[in-house]
Amino acid sequence: MPELPEVESLAHFLRERAVGRTILGVDVVAIQALKTFDPPVTALGGLTITGVARHGKFLDLDCDGLHLVMHLARAGWLRWRDDLSGAKPVRPGKGPLAARVRLAPDDEGLAPGFELTEAGTQKRLAIYITKNPDEVPGVAALGPDPLDESFTADALRRIIGGNRTQIKGLLRDQKVIAGIGNAYSDEVLHAARMSPFKVAATLTDAQIADLHEAIVTTLREAVERAHGLAAKDLKAEKKSGLRVHNRAGQLCDVCGDTIREVSFADSALQYCPTCQTAGKLLADRRLSRLLK
């Protein structure tokens, strides 16, 4: 799933390539992906992209005041094309293509644009056309952005308060903190040397300060690594920069212990026992005791 660093990098990528260009049209292939009907998607035709923003994991293209807001969900991605003039007409079907945004030709006659694709059968990619991004339910409900200057250790302390949620789940809750998903929550907790099953309310002030430092540092470093990369290279960069996530069975770069995994119904987490749980193994969420 694209998380804050990848979406931020996609936003930067689009600022460099799409801002200032006129939209020729937006072709929606996966009808279920379009979550709004007024204004219609055809209203984007002829408008100029004037800015690109990120709200948590949402991408937001400002098109002369009308916003094209996109959420890539778990298996979605954005693929830039330098020339779409020879692309085949889109047809609804079972393929991965969800939508295509066609831009006006440049001075060389190339007609660039980008496609939104989604692999797998669980189609959750979402597209919104709106006059105000805050009208998108997911955007309106977002918690603070961890890269914003207002996200301080004190702010995190207020967020945690007396919350009895396990810290892994709290970090992934977009209503609590925007932009962190399964992968970077694993990375943050490894950097903070904290069990994913730690109850948020039990954190000391020192642990909250360490967690805050881990959140900000982990995300900023990931953004910096991805800065300037083409959209097609971002997935590989994300994978290469991860220390524990999706590395079960490999050795921890910090201590040399074997990275372990806890599986759930539709996801899994990875952690280092030595770095995070005082050597204790978390065999199964239902059977493991909460580690403090």
Side-chain angles (χ1 to χ4, degrees):
M1 175 185 290
E3 298 178 34
L4 185 154
E6 294 76 53
V7 179
E8 179 65 31
S9 298
L10 286 174
H12 177 78
F13 181 87
L14 290 174
R15 288 185 197 111
E16 292 188 331
R17 289 163 177 78
V19 169
R21 294 184 180 274
T22 300
I23 296 177
L24 287 184
V26 177
D27 307 314
V28 178
V29 182
I31 303 301
Q32 75 278 1
L34 185 61
K35 306 302 182 183
T36 55
F37 63 91
D38 184 24
V41 69
T42 54
L44 293 168
L47 301 183
T48 299
I49 299 174
T50 55
V52 181
R54 176 188 59 78
H55 313 287
K57 301 178 190 178
F58 289 82
L59 268 174
D60 173 14
L61 271 64
D62 186 340
C63 309
D64 285 334
L66 192 61
H67 294 259
L68 170 59
V69 180
M70 301 160 284
H71 191 285
L72 298 174
R74 171 175 289 187
W77 197 244
L78 184 150
R79 301 180 185 277
W80 178 264
R81 306 296 187 191
D82 289 327
D83 188 13
L84 282 170
S85 59
K88 297 180 180 179
V90 295
R91 293 186 177 87
K94 298 181 180 180
L97 183 62
R100 177 182 291 162
V101 177
R102 296 175 285 108
L103 304 178
D106 57 23
D107 295 337
E108 298 179 357
L110 299 178
F114 61 87
E115 296 175 336
L116 300 177
T117 61
E118 185 173 22
T121 58
Q122 295 184 358
K123 302 300 185 181
R124 297 176 180 175
L125 185 146
I127 301 169
Y128 306 83
I129 314 299
T130 179
K131 296 178 181 178
N132 183 355
D134 288 337
E135 294 177 350
V136 175
V139 173
L142 287 175
D145 193 292
L147 295 187
D148 192 275
E149 291 183 358
S150 64
F151 185 76
T152 62
D154 285 339
L156 179 59
R157 186 176 297 107
R158 290 191 294 271
I159 288 171
I160 290 176
N163 198 309
R164 301 299 301 176
T165 304
Q166 293 175 355
I167 194 64
K168 166 77 175 181
L170 184 141
L171 289 177
R172 294 184 61 188
D173 188 340
Q174 299 305 294
K175 296 179 181 179
V176 177
I177 302 173
I180 302 175
N182 195 31
Y184 286 105
S185 58
D186 282 350
E187 297 299 298
V188 164
L189 292 171
H190 179 255
R193 304 181 69 87
M194 188 175 295
S195 168
F197 287 175
K198 180 81 172 175
V199 175
T202 66
L203 267 62
T204 65
D205 286 349
Q207 289 173 323
I208 291 174
D210 290 343
L211 180 60
H212 174 266
E213 176 66 20
I215 292 171
V216 174
T217 300
T218 299
L219 295 178
R220 288 197 182 280
E221 288 180 350
V223 170
E224 290 173 3
R225 289 195 305 268
H227 184 78
L229 293 180
K232 64 183 179 64
D233 297 323
L234 289 174
K235 287 185 178 181
E237 165 52 41
K238 176 181 181 179
K239 184 177 180 180
S240 68
L242 298 175
R243 288 189 169 189
V244 290
H245 185 73
N246 274 347
R247 292 191 59 203
Q250 301 180 41
L251 299 183
C252 173
D253 293 339
V254 175
C255 71
D257 195 358
T258 301
I259 295 169
R260 306 301 179 114
E261 178 174 285
V262 176
S263 297
F264 303 95
D266 60 351
S267 65
L269 66 81
Q270 290 80 38
Y271 69 101
C272 171
T274 295
C275 290
Q276 297 175 251
T277 62
K280 297 179 181 179
L281 301 184
L282 308 178
D284 185 273
R285 182 185 182 189
R286 293 166 296 179
L287 301 178
S288 297
R289 298 169 61 185
L290 297 180
L291 301 180
K292 300 181 180 180

